């Protein structure tokens, strides 16, 4: 449910682009977005009403809040590209912002200590962390290129398609 629900990021991303950055969308883009999100809403409703209830209203609300908050980042990245920032600058400052927020959240919950202990106990953990970092850098580079060339909404659609 979480993966499917995260795909609803399209509508909040479009809303932020429209209200904050005054970006306009064609009728086809709007109809496509409504069709995608309608299917996802039906999926979420079916999951909540099934006999083996996996999701709760509170869980869905948290997912919704996460999706809305997550809609700001690709729009901010697209705006930075429009004012002439390089891909390296946008990647660096985006990652520094996320690092700061995630360090606060991870440090407060104790997850950072757990990750550090895991990497220290198992030598393969450090190797996997390095491999993940390299793969993430490549993925972020491709994502930034899509945002730079096509904008935030297309980047969200590409992210959802993967």
């Amino acid at each position: 449910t979480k993966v499917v629900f995260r795909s609803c990021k399209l509508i909040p991303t479009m809303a932020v682009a429209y209200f904050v950055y005054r970006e306009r969308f064609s009728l086809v883009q709007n109809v496509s977005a409504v069709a995608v999100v309608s299917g996802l809403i039906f999926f979420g409703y079916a999951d909540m009403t099934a006999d083996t209830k996996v999701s709760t209203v509170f869980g869905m609300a948290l997912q919704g809040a996460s999706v809305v908050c997550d809609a700001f980042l690709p729009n901010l990245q697209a705006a930075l590209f429009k004012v002439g920032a390089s891909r390296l600058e946008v990647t660096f400052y985006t990652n520094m912002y996320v690092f700061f927020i995630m360090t606060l959240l991870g440090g407060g919950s104790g997850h950072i200590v757990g990750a550090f202990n895991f990497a220290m106990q198992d030598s393969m953990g450090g190797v996997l962390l390095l491999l993940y970092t390299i793969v993430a850098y490549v993925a972020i580079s491709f994502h930034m290129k899509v945002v730079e060339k096509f904008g935030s909404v297309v980047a969200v659609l590409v992210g959802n398609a993967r």
Side-chain angles (χ1 to χ4, degrees), residues 67-87:
V67 166
V68 169
C69 291
D70 200 23
F72 284 90
L73 188 59
N75 283 297
L76 176 62
Q77 291 167 339
L80 290 171
F81 283 127
K82 285 180 183 173
V83 296
S86 71
R87 192 166 38 120

Side-chain angles (χ1 to χ4, degrees), residues 4 6 32 34 41 44 47 57 70 73 84 92 95 108 111-112 115 121-122 136-137 140 145 150 153 161:
V4 173
R6 297 288 299 163
S32 298
V34 169
I41 289 171
D47 186 45
V57 173
D70 200 23
L73 188 59
F92 176 76
N95 285 334
H111 286 109
I112 290 178
Q121 290 174 357
D122 184 5
Y137 176 77
I140 289 169
K145 194 63 177 171
F150 300 105
V153 173

Side-chain angles (χ1 to χ4, degrees), residues 118-155:
F118 171 75
M120 296 308 290
Q121 290 174 357
D122 184 5
S123 61
M124 190 62 172
V127 172
L128 291 174
L129 183 60
L130 177 63
L131 180 62
Y132 174 79
T133 303
I134 293 167
V135 170
Y137 176 77
V138 171
I140 289 169
S141 295
F142 281 120
H143 172 78
M144 286 298 176
K145 194 63 177 171
V146 172
V147 171
E148 180 181 18
K149 188 165 178 126
F150 300 105
S152 60
V153 173
V154 172

Side-chain angles (χ1 to χ4, degrees), residues 1-157:
T1 303
K2 178 183 175 186
V3 172
V4 173
F5 204 84
R6 297 288 299 163
S7 298
C8 284
K9 185 170 107 173
L10 179 61
I11 292 291
T13 302
M14 289 177 76
V16 169
Y18 178 79
F19 289 112
V20 176
Y21 299 105
R22 305 286 183 230
E23 192 173 330
R24 301 284 185 221
F25 302 101
S26 69
L27 179 63
V28 172
Q29 288 173 314
N30 287 316
V31 169
S32 298
V34 169
V36 167
V37 173
S38 296
L40 297 170
I41 289 171
F42 285 123
F43 179 86
Y45 178 74
D47 186 45
M48 286 179 60
T49 58
D51 291 337
T52 57
K53 197 180 228 185
V54 176
S55 300
T56 63
V57 173
F58 180 68
M60 292 291 219
L62 287 175
Q63 283 292 334
S66 171
V67 166
V68 169
C69 291
D70 200 23
F72 284 90
L73 188 59
N75 283 297
L76 176 62
Q77 291 167 339
L80 290 171
F81 283 127
K82 285 180 183 173
V83 296
S86 71
R87 192 166 38 120
L88 184 60
E89 290 171 320
V90 174
T91 302
F92 176 76
Y93 287 111
T94 299
N95 285 334
M96 288 305 295
Y97 165 74
V98 171
F99 173 76
F100 177 72
I101 297 296
M102 294 306 289
T103 300
L104 287 176
L105 295 174
S109 67
H111 286 109
I112 290 178
V113 174
F116 180 76
N117 288 338
F118 171 75
M120 296 308 290
Q121 290 174 357
D122 184 5
S123 61
M124 190 62 172
V127 172
L128 291 174
L129 183 60
L130 177 63
L131 180 62
Y132 174 79
T133 303
I134 293 167
V135 170
Y137 176 77
V138 171
I140 289 169
S141 295
F142 281 120
H143 172 78
M144 286 298 176
K145 194 63 177 171
V146 172
V147 171
E148 180 181 18
K149 188 165 178 126
F150 300 105
S152 60
V153 173
V154 172
V156 169
L157 281 170

